[in-house]
């Protein structure tokens, strides 16, 4: 491609996800498809921001499976393509991924799959490296934003070199940390870019005979993948300036754990060669074993599962090496949760004490080691925002069914917080779209009980339609409540097909949720404004009474994108201090003030209810909840 004039290099502060986005742009990516999910979302957001300048087609797909299939088509037409998702999104994309591993790629195809040790914002702590081992695909494991950018470019090279998809696995601390990077945006290419063309080939159509042949090919590629990691310097020895007594022990680490190891060694005043693994699967174990030759023990430091440790243990056995392994399997490091410098430092102290008891480690001052006691931050219970329309929907159903033992199936999104008190409107939460199938499933075993599924608008498009069809087809009795707040709110307000616009506000066809529900065979459908609580309660009662599948679309903009209304106030003369607004509705703008001394003497049991004006969105729901008409909009002067 022809380029414009060169841009001088400079230093910029880049978030890890932003660095990945620029790495893909520098690599010449032509097609990017994703479904938003923390901690991966910003990769696609940054690419969409610059897509027009670099001739890139970028989209928010309805789910990760569709995103990967879009990228596969682009790759087979010769384009460099990328699909982005979080770790649980790979579960959704696993069907095409497993077949793609056999069929291979033409243009480089990279999957950015962001893992979430902790987890901070996920249902699971699953390790994508294990998924890659299952699919027999290579993984690159960056430890910093700068490394993530370089590995992104290398991932496209590896994909085209070996004709396989490549997984880039940033974890939360790599994806969301910022680093000062030597970087300037690449020159913009001449637009339009050269055309692409898909060449027909029997090898693109999986059949059992082809599958058997391609599986042998994929197995044969494993050594080439590992060799490539070493040749490109992704797996290498990072030298130290160690003295003789510590060079006899080894440390193998990868990903963000490498940073913790180096910080912990510096705190302990120890310097020794460390083997850094940037390509953990398939692990080129022979190179690591060469590093371990003559060592009396090795500590393996990796977050999540013992992926490196297990591969290395097997390889050492086959070579006949008698070397003690310390790590997760020995109990020196935990198998759950995120690591940090303190965790690794404690493991190193134990390791050195057991292997090199003669080594004298200094007592590191707490301030120097970063171990100074810092007061724990106050716990903040997750809660729906003040004015969130979802609260009204949950409250309406709880009121409508307060005399019935209704079962509420929840789903994945900010409305997951419906599980929290005082609403307690989610009895089950599994994965995206499961609420619909589970409500229908519960109907099979408890047909006399009301079953209500709550699902977000974006999740409806992601994975809510097939189970809705299944419920109608199999004649379940259940109610689906689509909480339509007109955005994909939890991950940063990305668009979806029900809005009429795409990633950069470009107009797009509007896909109506009610029309889809009707096309799925649903006969009882209502669209209700959840801010109108009486109408919402009435619709809830009617929906539950319907002898089949009923759908309520609770439509009101997310408060983060809507205009704030007039804040409300409380008439303390009218307020009876019944506490319904706090104990049943639970808006965080409402709070109970501490009892005054005068109130205590009066025998009051509860303080006056107040409204935090800075939090109040002005939705008016609390005024509808109050049975004493004690809440009203502020008088505007």
């Amino acid at each position: 491609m022809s380029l414009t004039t060169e841009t001088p290099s400079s230093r910029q502060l880049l978030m890890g996800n932003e660095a990945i986005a620029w790495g893909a742009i520098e690599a010449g990516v032509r097609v990017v498809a994703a479904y938003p999910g923390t901690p991966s979302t910003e990769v696609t957001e940054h690419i969409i921001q610059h897509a027009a300048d670099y001739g890139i087609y970028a989209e928010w797909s309805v789910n990760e499976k569709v995103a990967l299939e879009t990228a596969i088509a682009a790759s087979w037409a010769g384009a460099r393509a990328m699909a982005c998702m979080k770790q649980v999104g790979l579960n959704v994309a696993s069907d095409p991924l497993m077949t793609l591993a056999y069929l291979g790629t033409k243009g480089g195809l990279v999957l950015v799959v962001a893992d979430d040790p902790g987890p901070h914002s996920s249902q699971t702590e699953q390790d994508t490296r294990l998924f890659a081992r299952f699919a027999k695909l290579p993984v690159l494991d960056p430890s910093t934003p700068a490394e993530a950018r370089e590995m992104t470019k290398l991932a496209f090279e590896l994909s085209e070199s070996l004709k396989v998809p490549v997984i880039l696995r940033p974890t939360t601390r790599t994806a969301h940390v910022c680093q000062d990077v030597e970087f300037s945006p690449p020159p913009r290419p001449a637009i339009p870019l050269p055309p692409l063309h898909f060449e027909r080939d029997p090898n693109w159509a999986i059949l059992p005979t082809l599958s058997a042949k391609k599986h042998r090919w994929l197995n044969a590629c494993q050594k080439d993948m590992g060799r490539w990691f070493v040749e490109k310097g992704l797996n290498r020895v990072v030298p130290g300036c160690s003295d003789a007594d510590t060079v006899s022990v080894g440390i193998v680490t990868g990903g963000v754990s490498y940073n913790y190891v180096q910080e912990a060694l510096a705190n302990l005043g120890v310097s020794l060669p460390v083997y850094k693994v940037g390509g953990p699967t398939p692990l080129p174990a022979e190179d690591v074993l060469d590093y371990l030759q003559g060592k009396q023990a090795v500590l393996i430091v990796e977050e999540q599962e013992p992926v490196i440790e297990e591969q290395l243990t097997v390889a050492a056995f086959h070579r006949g090496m008698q070397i003690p392994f310390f790590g997760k399997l020995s109990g020196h490091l935990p198998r759950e949760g995120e690591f940090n410098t303190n965790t690794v430092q404690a493991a190193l102290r134990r390791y050195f004490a057991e292997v090199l008891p003669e080594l004298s480690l200094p007592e590191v001052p707490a301030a120097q080691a970063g171990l100074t006691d810092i007061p724990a931050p106050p716990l903040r219970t997750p809660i729906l925002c003040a004015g969130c329309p979802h609260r009204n929907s949950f409250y309406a159903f709880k009121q409508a069914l307060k005399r019935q033992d209704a079962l509420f199936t929840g789903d994945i999104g900010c409305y997951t917080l419906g599980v929290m008190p005082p609403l307690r409107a989610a009895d089950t939460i599994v994965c995206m779209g499961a609420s619909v199938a589970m409500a229908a499933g519960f109907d099979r075993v408890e047909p006399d009980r009301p079953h209500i599924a709550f699902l977000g608008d974006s999740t409806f498009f992601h994975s809510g339609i097939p189970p809705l069809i299944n419920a109608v087809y199999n004649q379940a009795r259940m109610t689906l409540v689509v909480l339509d707040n007109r955005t994909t709110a939890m991950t940063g307000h990305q668009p979806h097909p029900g809005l009429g616009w795409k990633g950069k506000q470009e107009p797009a066809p509007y896909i109506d949720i009610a029309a889809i529900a009707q096309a799925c065979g649903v006969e009882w459908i209502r669209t209700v404004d959840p801010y109108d609580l009486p109408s919402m309660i009435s619709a809830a009662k009617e929906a539950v009474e319907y002898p089949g599948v009923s759908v309520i679309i609770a439509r009101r903009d997310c408060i983060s994108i809507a205009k704030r209304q007039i804040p409300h106030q409380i008439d303390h003369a009218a307020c009876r201090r019944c506490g319904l607004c706090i104990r049943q509705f639970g808006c965080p703008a409402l709070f109970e003030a501490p009892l005054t001394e005068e109130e205590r003497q009066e025998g009051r049991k509860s303080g006056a209810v107040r409204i935090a004006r800075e939090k109040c969105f002005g939705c008016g729901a609390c005024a509808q909840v109050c049975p004493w008409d004690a809440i009203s909009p502020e008088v505007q002067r």
Side-chain angles (χ1 to χ4, degrees), residues 171-237:
T171 55
T172 302
R173 297 299 173 187
T174 305
H176 284 169
V177 75
C178 292
Q179 182 182 13
D180 187 24
V181 178
E182 186 71 31
F183 167 77
S184 51
R188 298 178 184 179
I191 306 294
L193 298 176
L196 300 163
H197 181 65
F198 171 71
E199 299 287 348
R200 290 183 178 85
D201 188 323
N203 287 319
W204 295 137
I206 196 70
L207 294 171
T209 52
L210 178 63
S211 178
K213 182 177 75 172
K214 295 294 281 187
H215 194 186
R216 289 192 293 272
W217 163 80
L218 183 60
N219 285 335
C221 284
Q222 300 299 297
K223 286 190 176 181
D224 292 335
M225 295 176 190
R227 190 180 305 115
W228 195 92
F229 293 155
V230 176
E231 290 173 355
K232 295 294 182 179
L234 300 180
N235 292 19
R236 67 187 190 278
V237 177

